[in-house]
Amino acid sequence: YVDSTKTNSWHDLLVKLAARHLPSKLKSVPSGIALTEFYDVLALKSAKTVSSNYLQQEFCDLMSTWRYYEHHKYIVKWAQKTDVPILTTNFDQILSNAGSCKLYRTRKGGFTDYYPWENYYGNKEITDPSHGFGIWHVNGMLRYSRSIRLGLTHYMGAVERARGLLHKGNERSLFSGKHMRDWTGSTSWLHILFNSSLLIFGLGLEENEVFFRWLLIERAHYFIKFPDRRKNAWYVHTGKLNNDGKRYFLEGVGVQPISVASHDKIYDATTWT
């Protein structure tokens, strides 16, 4: 939105990484390959010279120069005022910097920098992720380079991790239905996804968003099993949806598409103030 596309681009970072590690100098990611798949191929082709962890750190170093704009501040200030959480699929600290936030954690012990799902940026400590302001990073955060989900392989690992929290552990799993407030993932951002209404915007939610799409499918399964716990969800987009398949998916998982005339209707100050 506005000037942020000139300074904050995942696509451009991947091209810069490719220029450093591949013999062919690409100016853009070729059509026919998702950005996640492009990263996996980049990691495979450069495996003899650098490790995957090194590539992730390089990516984070390049991303550290990203900055926030006025619309980022509008959104964060609204969330702070209304005391609601933000789930972001981005890795950067733009939103937390816009809100002058600090890093917190919902519980002690059991920390892994691969999946810091109980860490959030906020202005105070909270115990229930779904009650109170906090910025939660679904796909990993800049602070922990090994946590960021760049490749399809990374996303499959995240699915495996989430599946274990949602379904395993018998009575301590979310789908057991017996411990809504103290299931194994209750101190992570997953608790927000399954126990709150969702307003989704600024996210393409295309076919390559396999992790988040899968979570929406699991959320729909959960509400079928426990209909009294059902929460609403909306997906805000400009103009018409780019294909019938996306509408079919969204409505199938209980997300209502809402069309607005322009991005100004989403990000302008009047929307958030």
Side-chain angles (χ1 to χ4, degrees), residues 216 219-220 230-234 249-256:
L216 290 177
R219 185 176 185 267
R230 186 180 299 275
K231 301 292 183 179
N232 293 321
W234 305 271
F249 171 79
L250 290 172
E251 293 177 347
V253 296
V255 179
Q256 178 185 348

Side-chain angles (χ1 to χ4, degrees), residues 210-222:
V210 289
F211 182 42
F212 197 74
R213 279 189 170 222
W214 174 78
L215 286 170
L216 290 177
I217 292 171
E218 288 294 289
R219 185 176 185 267
H221 282 307
Y222 180 68

Side-chain angles (χ1 to χ4, degrees), residues 10-30 38-39 41-43 45-46 49-50 54-55 58-59 62:
W10 185 21
H11 173 277
D12 291 349
L13 291 197
L14 288 176
V15 172
K16 288 180 181 179
L17 280 185
R20 291 182 180 183
H21 298 287
L22 299 181
S24 59
K25 304 303 179 183
L26 297 172
K27 294 184 179 181
S28 64
V29 174
F38 181 83
Y39 176 83
V41 173
L42 169 61
K45 289 188 174 182
S46 58
T49 55
V50 296
Y54 183 83
L55 279 180
E58 272 194 295
F59 188 93
L62 289 169

Side-chain angles (χ1 to χ4, degrees), residues 38 55 62 90 96 106 110 112 190 200 207 219 222 232 270:
F38 181 83
L55 279 180
L62 289 169
N90 294 337
S96 53
T106 51
T112 168
L190 282 169
I200 305 170
E207 296 92 328
R219 185 176 185 267
Y222 180 68
N232 293 321
T270 56

